[in-house]
Amino acid sequence: MHPMLNIAIRAARNAGKVIVKGFENLESVEVEEKSLNDYVSSVDKEAELAIIGTLRKSYPDHSIVAEESGIDQGKDNDHQWIIDPLDGTTNFIHGIPHFAVSIALKIKGRTEIGIVFDPIRNELFSAVRGQSAQINGYRTRTNSVPKLSGTILATGFPFKQKHLTETYLNIFKDFFMDVADMRRGGSAALDLAYVAAGRMDGFWEFGLKPWDIAAGELLLKESGAMMTDFNGGNDYMKSGNVVAANPKLLKEMLTVVRKHNI
């Protein structure tokens, strides 16, 4: 096993212990509204500290980008960890057991390790560049369906960008007329992991952050899927606009999205 993957898994599981403990005692969890409809809990912060503490023990000089604490520019800028300690906070604080820890490592700007850990189901999605993706040690492959017909797509509502609601709903309608069904789980990290594992056929969402998608991007690539922005390019880390699926289905999805001139 890649030594840095080992440490990333340890960090994710340590965060998972914090999250499960908090989930069992939700009445004691403190919640703040960072911005409109965007929440952070005391468990998010504690889980992030658990991840950073674990990483720092082995790699004290690495740089870190974390959702809650921001950027910690270490001495070693070639190694950068990208952390979302609890993706799906709204689910968590409402007692909905669907959320995950997301950890990615970039080395010289290229994602080399990706982890998405669901602590409730004890499902660990992991990938090392060039070495395939796995769920709990078993290799994952994305679905090979080439057309929208019969598919299940995952999505996320633009709750932070409600001015895009009409555009979003128009795209949703176009997809819905062709697919078998749609799912909105509330955790982009898990949505991407599910596409990689073949549980969902494709995914699309507006306005995501790098820590939402950095690990999922590698899971997809190592499972035979792709991620692009709404123009079919690679600007998704900046724009946050994401489409993901196997290459043939992705082409179909982009045709639908492009009609709306976002």
Side-chain angles (χ1 to χ4, degrees):
M1 182 181 288
H2 193 295
M4 292 185 185
L5 175 64
N6 221 358
I7 300 302
I9 291 173
R10 186 182 306 167
R13 291 196 179 278
N14 286 343
K17 292 175 185 176
V18 171
I19 293 166
V20 170
K21 182 179 178 181
F23 195 65
E24 292 171 347
N25 298 278
L26 281 176
E27 67 281 354
S28 65
V29 174
E30 298 176 6
V31 179
E32 304 170 35
E33 191 172 22
K34 293 190 289 186
S35 59
L36 185 63
N37 302 315
D38 189 12
Y39 300 95
V40 60
S41 74
S42 53
V43 170
D44 290 69
K45 296 176 181 179
E46 189 178 345
E48 187 168 286
L49 289 174
I51 294 168
I52 293 173
T54 304
L55 297 178
R56 284 272 177 254
K57 284 180 182 178
S58 297
Y59 307 111
D61 295 332
H62 286 190
S63 296
I64 290 173
V65 177
E67 179 178 10
E68 307 307 337
S69 56
I71 300 174
D72 181 358
Q73 206 72 40
K75 296 177 183 178
D76 182 354
N77 292 324
D78 286 342
H79 292 79
Q80 183 185 70
W81 296 91
I82 304 173
I83 299 165
D84 190 339
L86 178 51
D87 185 59
T89 299
T90 300
N91 281 348
F92 174 83
I93 63 179
H94 285 86
I96 301 169
H98 190 78
F99 39 77
V101 180
S102 178
I103 302 173
L105 172 65
K106 286 191 173 184
I107 301 178
K108 295 183 178 179
R110 192 169 73 168
T111 307
E112 297 288 343
I113 289 171
I115 296 269
V116 173
F117 177 53
D118 178 343
I120 297 298
R121 297 176 182 85
N122 194 31
E123 289 187 331
L124 180 75
F125 301 85
S126 63
V128 175
R129 179 175 292 278
Q131 297 183 30
S132 79
Q134 299 182 342
I135 173 173
N136 291 348
Y138 294 93
R139 186 173 180 180
T140 59
R141 294 297 300 174
T142 195
N143 287 336
S144 58
V145 56
K147 300 286 185 182
L148 284 167
S149 176
T151 60
I152 295 180
L153 300 186
T155 187
F157 304 140
F159 64 93
K160 299 178 189 177
Q161 299 173 303
K162 291 195 174 181
H163 62 285
L164 295 173
T165 299
E166 184 175 358
T167 301
Y168 173 85
L169 290 176
N170 287 335
I171 297 172
F172 186 102
K173 179 181 177 181
D174 283 354
F175 276 135
F176 191 67
M177 297 307 291
D178 286 334
V179 302
D181 209 344
M182 304 280 276
R183 296 288 182 269
R184 196 284 195 234
S187 168
L190 281 176
D191 287 336
L192 295 172
Y194 280 17
V195 174
R199 294 175 177 178
M200 301 290 179
D201 297 299
F203 169 76
W204 62 286
E205 188 168 345
F206 291 36
L208 293 168
K209 299 295 185 183
W211 45 78
D212 297 320
I213 59 179
E217 175 195 28
L218 188 61
L219 292 173
L220 291 166
K221 287 180 178 178
E222 293 299 322
S223 299
M226 295 175 63
M227 179 190 292
T228 73
D229 58 28
F230 287 174
N231 294 314
N234 297 317
D235 195 40
Y236 43 83
M237 285 295 178
K238 184 178 179 181
S239 69
N241 299 332
V242 169
V243 185
N246 73 66
K248 289 184 178 179
L249 182 60
L250 181 69
K251 185 177 180 181
E252 293 277 311
M253 292 178 70
L254 287 171
T255 298
V256 173
V257 172
R258 285 170 176 159
K259 290 193 301 183
H260 298 272
N261 297 317
I262 301 168

